[in-house]
């Protein structure tokens, strides 16, 4: 039945489109332009408004029909459905069959075929009752008051129409069949009143058009001929009385001195505002109703697609209009003679004011960014700017049908796109910033150069008449550019305002420890205590289940490692985090995650790339015996002979010890800046969260240290900072590692994590994706610049198993931008200079929402 209903709706829609095409084909385009050009805009607006009001009495039929049916229908539904039915029937007619079919379609829910047929038939009896009463009125006017006696020879038409109403009333009263049993006198009066109002409002609107045209006639005389013409139209059963009504009207108006050309104009305006435009609205409502059914049948996919297309169209139009306006403001004397520009400009918005062109251009570009980012805050400013722009263009440019059609399409696209604007705010992505910034910079540079060229006192002077009208006009535009820059910045500020609280939630050590103690952590969970990352907690029943460690850059939230906490809730937590981030225009990027999580994220719309491999030492199998560790065995024997001692120090640590470790760290860094995010840095709070392994020389002096990083599961342990003083012998770090292997095995750990070897076997094949090969180069040179430690060749002598690590990023995002943003966070020096060029550069590149 669903398929049958959809086929019916489609067939009606095809019929409607074909009939509409026929009507449009019959209208002479040049004649229409002449008609509209001869009327004032005020008169056209009055016709438009009153034409729609004249249709509303027809809705009484639909309220009457639902009274005879068992179903309950909301008033809004009856109004929408009634408008469709009556405007279709009004224009297309089809002997009442179309109206009956549509009413059965709209109101047939929960009713039998017999109930539907009876309800429609009862109302159909009263459809021309009002016209019949107007026939009585016309006869009285002609033969009682002598008004319109010119049309007395049409008495037979008027008498025939007048007889219908009393005959129909008598028939309904004397007939005792069950068909009329529920037809009360009150309902008859309501439907008769509705019919009379329908025909009277149509007649009144027709006369009003003639009055607005300024025709010098007695409009009371028009009433009889209008009634006669409609009787002829009903008798002919032609849709809308097309042809028969027109002939009678043209001939009748000729009798009272109206020229045939004026009569034709009169009819064309009547057809346009009473039939065609309401019909177009009805068609839109019908398509909407049809689309709702198809949309439900196809699980919302058509709606999503249409809204997305509308959003893209509107965004492109606003960028296009902004650029066209900038071209006109920057080099007006050049573009107005360019054929391509002349062809394209009618599809844009143009202000007469030079200054307004520049400011509104950048306002459109700024709002287009918000629309592209699906930001709710961009909708109403866009509505205001577009309406002002449309009105300005309307009143200052020559009126054309192309213009009005374009504006109608823009407003429809704006209305359609509203459903896809769901984000609370916009996040500045590098792509949008680069594009918008490039437009402004290019415009500013070109405009400045033109200003130099138009100055007679410069050696680069050109004939200003070719480039620009005058130096004064250029100066006004330059001021406009400065204002436009401020407008663009303010618009960006408005669209990115109201940052949610969770993006700036302070670090809470108790919540982190509670999650790790209850559910366990992972190889990266200890990095939370660096306090250089934000934390997002997922809760159920008020209890923390999972947390993510992240840092924001541009429109990305870079998440360090796998989620921490209850693994059974990872999928739900990720989905919630994605949802709340998406509402803010932010995209999640997962850094250094395992293969299982990568595959799970891939199903959620993420792409991925391998970033390297994590080296694990199997503690149960580690031994210094054999050829593999012959060198390490000799090294350990040397340390033992020289009196070096290994020791595990437990927190909390006193200030004296931390000062000693700080000196060793500073000596090891040798004025190099420390990194953060995925690596630890020297911080007293951080170091106090776990034991520290130290190596002491024969004098008991600490010469090297490394802080431990437990995973909270007693499965894997690792170290973070590895620092040694100048007094430490070569290979001292190997001494710490080997001792830690034995110590960790005794503590019950299974693996020791030596960390990731970046970009191992990634993008090296000639068959690798182009983006992967570009990323490989970025990482390769990025790591050379920042001297990342921990090369695979060093770790390989201990590692028993390499586990792949991945970056997962939103599908459709630029991988190159994403990797560059990751490098900026991972490699960003922790201690940025307080002033000067380095601080400025990092401030520009690391564009934040904080």
């Amino acid at each position: 039945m669903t398929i049958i209903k959809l086929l019916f709706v489609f067939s009606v829609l095809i019929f409607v489109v074909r009939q509409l095409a026929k009507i449009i084909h019959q209208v002479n385009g040049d004649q229409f332009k002449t008609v509209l050009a001869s009327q004032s805009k005020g008169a056209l607006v009055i016709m438009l408004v009153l034409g729609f009001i004249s249709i509303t009495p027809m809705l009484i039929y639909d309220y009457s029909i639902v009274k005879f049916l068992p179903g309950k229908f909301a008033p809004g539904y009856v109004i929408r459905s009634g408008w469709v039915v009556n405007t279709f029937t009004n224009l297309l007619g089809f002997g009442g069959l179309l109206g009956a079919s549509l009413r059965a379609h709209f109101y047939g829910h929960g009713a039998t075929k017999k109930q539907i047929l009876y309800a429609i038939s009862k109302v159909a009896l009263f459809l021309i009752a009002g016209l019949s009463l107007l026939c009585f009125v016309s006869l009285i006017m002609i033969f009682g008051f002598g008004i319109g006696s010119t049309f007395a020879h049409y008495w037979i038409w008027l008498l025939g129409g007048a007889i219908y109403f009393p005959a129909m009333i008598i028939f309904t009263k004397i007939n005792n069949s069950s068909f009329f049993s529920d037809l009360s006198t009150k309902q008859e009066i309501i439907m008769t009143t509705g019919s009379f109002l329908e025909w009277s409002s149509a007649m009144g609107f027709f006369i009003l058009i003639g009055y607005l045209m300024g025709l010098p006639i007695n409009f009371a005389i028009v009433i009889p001929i209008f009634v006669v013409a409609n009787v002829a139209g009903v008798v002919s059963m032609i849709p809308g009385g097309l042809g028969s009504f027109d002939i009678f009207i043209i001939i009748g108006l000729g009798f009272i001195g109206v020229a045939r050309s004026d009569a034709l104009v009169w009819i064309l305006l009547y057809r346009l505002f009473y039939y065609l435009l309401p019909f177009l609205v009805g068609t839109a409502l019908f398509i909407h109703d049809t689309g709702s059914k198809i949309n439900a049948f196809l699980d919302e996919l058509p709606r999503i697609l249409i809204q997305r297309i509308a959003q893209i169209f509107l965004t492109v139009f606003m960028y296009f209009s902004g650029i066209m306006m900038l071209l006109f403001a920057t080099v007006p004397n050049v573009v107005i003679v360019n054929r391509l520009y002349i062809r394209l400009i009618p599809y844009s918005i143009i202000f007469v004011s030079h200054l307004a062109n520049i400011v509104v251009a950048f306002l459109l570009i700024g709002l287009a960014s918000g629309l592209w980012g699906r930001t709710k805050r961009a909708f109403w400013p866009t509505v205001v700017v577009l309406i002002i722009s449309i009105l300005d263009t309307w009143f200052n440019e020559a009126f054309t049908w192309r213009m009005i059609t374009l504006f109608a399409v823009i407003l429809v696209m704006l209305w359609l796109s509203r459903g896809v604007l769901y984000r609370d705010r916009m996040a500045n992505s590098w792509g949008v910033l680069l594009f918008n910034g490039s437009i402004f910079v290019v415009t500013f540079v070109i405009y400045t150069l033109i200003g130099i060229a138009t100055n007679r006192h410069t050696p680069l002077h050109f004939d200003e008449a070719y480039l620009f009208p005058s130096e004064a006009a250029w100066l006004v535009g330059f001021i406009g550019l400065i204002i436009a820059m401020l407008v663009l910045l303010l618009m960006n500020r408005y669209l990115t305002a109201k940052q949610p609280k969770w993006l700036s939630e302070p670090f809470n050590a108790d919540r982190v420890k509670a999650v790790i103690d209850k559910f366990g952590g992972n190889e990266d969970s200890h990095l939370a205590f660096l306090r250089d990352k934000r934390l997002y907690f997922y809760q159920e029943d008020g209890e923390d289940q999972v947390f993510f460690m992240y840092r924001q850059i541009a429109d990305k939230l870079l998440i360090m490692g796998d989620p921490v906490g209850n693994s059974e809730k990872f999928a739900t937590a990720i989905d919630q985090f994605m949802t709340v981030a998406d509402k803010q225009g932010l995209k999640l990027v997962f850094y250094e995650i395992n293969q299982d999580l990568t595959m799970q994220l891939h199903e959620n719309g993420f792409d991925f790339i391998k970033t390297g491999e994590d080296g694990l030492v199997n503690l149960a199998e580690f031994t210094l015996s054999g050829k593999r560790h012959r060198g390490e065995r000799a090294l350990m024997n040397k340390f033992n002979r020289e009196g070096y001692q290994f020791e595990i120090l437990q927190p909390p640590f006193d200030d004296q010890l931390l000062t000693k470790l700080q000196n060793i760290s500073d000596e090891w860094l040798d004025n190099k800046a420390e990194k953060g995010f995925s690596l630890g840095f020297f911080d007293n709070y951080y170091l106090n969260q776990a034991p520290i392994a130290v190596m002491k020389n024969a004098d008991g002096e600490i010469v090297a240290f490394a802080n431990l990083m437990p995973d909270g599961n007693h499965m894997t342990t690792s170290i973070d900072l590895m620092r040694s003083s100048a007094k430490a012998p070569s290979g001292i770090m190997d001494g710490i590692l080997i001792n830690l292997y034995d110590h960790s095995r005794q503590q019950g750990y299974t693996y020791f994590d030596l960390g990731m070897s970046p970009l191992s076997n990634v993008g090296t094949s000639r068959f690798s994706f182009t983006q992967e090969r570009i990323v490989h180069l970025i990482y390769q040179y990025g790591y050379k610049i920042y001297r990342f430690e921990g090369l695979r060749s060093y770790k390989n002598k201990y590692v028993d198993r390499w586990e792949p690590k991945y970056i997962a990023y939103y599908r459709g995002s630029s991988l190159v931008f994403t990797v560059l943003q990751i490098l900026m966070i991972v490699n960003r020096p922790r201690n940025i200079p307080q002033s000067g060029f380095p601080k400025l550069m990092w401030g520009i590149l690391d564009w934040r929402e904080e």
Side-chain angles (χ1 to χ4, degrees), residues 158-261:
L158 294 173
L159 181 61
I163 292 173
Y164 175 81
F165 177 70
M168 184 263 297
I169 292 295
I170 294 171
F171 177 72
T172 58
K173 292 302 182 184
I174 65 175
N175 194 305
N176 295 322
S177 67
S178 59
F179 180 83
F180 297 107
S181 60
D182 59 346
L183 186 62
S184 65
T185 302
K186 179 181 177 181
Q187 289 170 328
E188 289 182 339
I189 293 173
I190 291 173
M191 288 187 286
T192 301
T193 302
S195 179
F196 183 77
L197 289 175
E198 173 204 347
W199 292 100
S200 298
S201 60
M203 180 179 66
F205 180 64
F206 182 80
I207 293 173
L208 175 69
I209 293 174
Y211 174 78
L212 292 174
M213 289 176 64
L215 298 176
I217 59 172
N218 181 2
F219 289 101
I221 304 176
V222 178
I223 295 176
I225 189 57
F226 179 85
V227 174
V228 170
N230 273 288
V231 171
V234 170
V235 172
S236 69
M237 292 187 13
I238 297 173
L242 192 64
S244 53
F245 171 86
D246 304 63
I247 291 172
F248 272 82
I249 283 289
I250 291 172
I251 295 173
L253 291 177
F255 288 153
I256 59 176
V258 177
R260 181 157 296 186
S261 59

Side-chain angles (χ1 to χ4, degrees), residues 317-337:
F317 169 78
M318 292 175 69
Y319 268 116
F320 167 76
S321 290
I323 292 171
M324 295 294 283
M325 293 167 75
L326 287 177
L327 285 173
F328 183 73
T330 307
V331 283
N333 288 5
V334 175
V335 296
I336 59 176
V337 296

Side-chain angles (χ1 to χ4, degrees), residues 241-435:
L242 192 64
S244 53
F245 171 86
D246 304 63
I247 291 172
F248 272 82
I249 283 289
I250 291 172
I251 295 173
L253 291 177
F255 288 153
I256 59 176
V258 177
R260 181 157 296 186
S261 59
D262 289 333
L264 184 60
V265 168
W266 195 343
I267 293 172
L268 285 174
L269 290 172
Y270 178 64
R271 292 286 185 194
L272 173 66
F273 292 108
Y274 187 76
Y275 287 93
L276 187 57
L277 293 182
F279 170 76
L280 291 177
V281 174
T283 302
L285 293 174
F286 182 73
I287 292 173
H288 181 268
D289 180 76
T290 305
S292 298
K293 292 179 173 60
I294 297 172
N295 188 55
F297 186 71
L298 298 176
D299 296 328
E300 299 288 315
L301 289 177
R303 179 184 63 82
I304 295 171
L305 183 62
I306 290 172
Q307 289 179 341
R308 182 62 173 157
I309 291 172
Q311 177 217 3
I312 293 172
F313 174 88
L314 191 60
T315 304
V316 170
F317 169 78
M318 292 175 69
Y319 268 116
F320 167 76
S321 290
I323 292 171
M324 295 294 283
M325 293 167 75
L326 287 177
L327 285 173
F328 183 73
T330 307
V331 283
N333 288 5
V334 175
V335 296
I336 59 176
V337 296
N338 184 282
R339 291 184 179 180
L340 178 61
Y341 183 86
I342 296 301
R343 286 179 176 272
L344 294 176
I345 194 60
Y347 302 101
S348 177
I349 292 171
I350 286 295
F351 281 75
V352 172
S353 168
H354 184 57
L355 183 64
N357 261 320
I358 296 176
V359 174
V360 174
F362 280 106
L363 198 57
L364 288 174
I365 290 170
L367 287 171
S369 304
L371 291 177
W372 182 250
R374 308 186 189 188
T375 312
K376 287 189 293 188
R377 295 170 66 85
F379 179 77
W380 285 112
T382 302
V383 171
V384 172
V385 172
L386 285 179
I387 289 178
I388 291 174
S389 302
I390 288 171
L391 290 176
D392 182 85
T393 308
W394 172 283
F395 288 112
N396 292 294
E397 296 289 326
F399 173 83
T400 64
W401 275 107
R402 181 186 298 171
M403 182 191 304
I404 195 65
T405 303
L406 173 66
F407 291 162
V409 170
I410 292 168
L411 293 176
V412 169
M413 292 297 106
L414 182 60
W415 177 73
L416 288 175
S417 65
R418 186 178 184 182
V420 83
L421 304 178
Y422 64 92
R423 289 177 177 144
D424 294 331
R425 58 195 291 270
M426 182 183 78
N428 286 310
S429 69
W430 278 10
V432 172
L433 286 173
L434 183 63
F435 187 73

